[in-house]
């Protein structure tokens, strides 16, 4: 049973910082790209940041210069350091990972349960 579990969400004032973490566990053969998505009320889910197994990153324009994505392949974790947070960052953040389970012939997309990030003004 492959699963992703997020942690680190909460309430923070504008200009503050928050660090999200996501841990993958279960019968895993390999993990390719890991990513963070977010969904604000009334909006579609959007890609915030992603990182390949080799460490290449891609960030949404709205968070460049403020957010940093990183991963620890030995621990099967991915983190999102969020600085200079703005009220418009308020959303449910979801962890996503492309994982090949043990014994599987291909990778699958897995999602965490989501964690609320609220930025107050």
């Amino acid at each position: 049973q492959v699963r992703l579990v997020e942690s680190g969400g909460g309430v923070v004032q504008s200009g503050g910082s928050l660090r999200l973490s996501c841990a993958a566990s279960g019968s895993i053969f390999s993990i390719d790209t890991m990513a963070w998505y977010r969904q604000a009320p009334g909006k579609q889910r959007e890609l915030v940041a992603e990182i390949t197994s080799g460490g290449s990153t891609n960030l949404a324009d709205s968070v460049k210069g403020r957010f940093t994505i990183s991963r620890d392949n030995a621990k099967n974790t991915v983190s999102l350091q969020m600085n200079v947070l703005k009220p418009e960052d308020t959303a449910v953040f979801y962890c996503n990972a492309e994982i090949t389970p043990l014994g599987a012939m291909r990778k699958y997309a897995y999602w965490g349960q989501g964690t609320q990030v609220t930025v107050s003004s």
Side-chain angles (χ1 to χ4, degrees):
Q1 297 291 336
V2 175
R3 65 193 71 85
L4 299 176
V5 179
E6 300 126 328
S7 62
V11 181
V12 65
Q13 291 185 324
S14 61
S17 298
L18 212 55
R19 185 177 180 86
L20 306 181
S21 295
C22 172
S25 63
S27 300
I28 297 171
F29 176 74
S30 64
I31 303 177
D32 197 354
T33 300
M34 304 185 83
W36 287 97
Y37 288 74
R38 68 185 180 189
Q39 187 166 23
K43 293 186 175 293
Q44 289 191 323
R45 188 171 300 185
E46 65 172 345
L47 176 66
V48 177
E50 60 184 357
I51 182 168
T52 68
S53 60
S56 297
T57 63
N58 177 48
L59 275 69
D61 289 341
S62 61
V63 306
K64 285 181 179 177
R66 300 188 298 123
F67 292 11
T68 302
I69 188 170
S70 61
R71 66 190 288 167
D72 186 332
N73 291 330
K75 296 181 178 180
N76 289 341
T77 60
V78 62
S79 298
L80 185 68
Q81 178 65 48
M82 305 185 293
N83 299 324
V84 197
L85 282 161
K86 305 174 181 179
E88 49 262 48
D89 293 318
T90 295
V92 177
F93 282 69
Y94 296 90
C95 178
N96 169 267
E98 298 174 338
I99 299 173
T100 301
L102 284 174
M105 299 300 293
R106 69 173 182 88
K107 62 185 178 183
Y108 298 84
Y110 289 85
W111 293 89
Q113 79 285 353
T115 185
Q116 178 69 48
V117 172
T118 301
V119 184
S120 64
S121 60

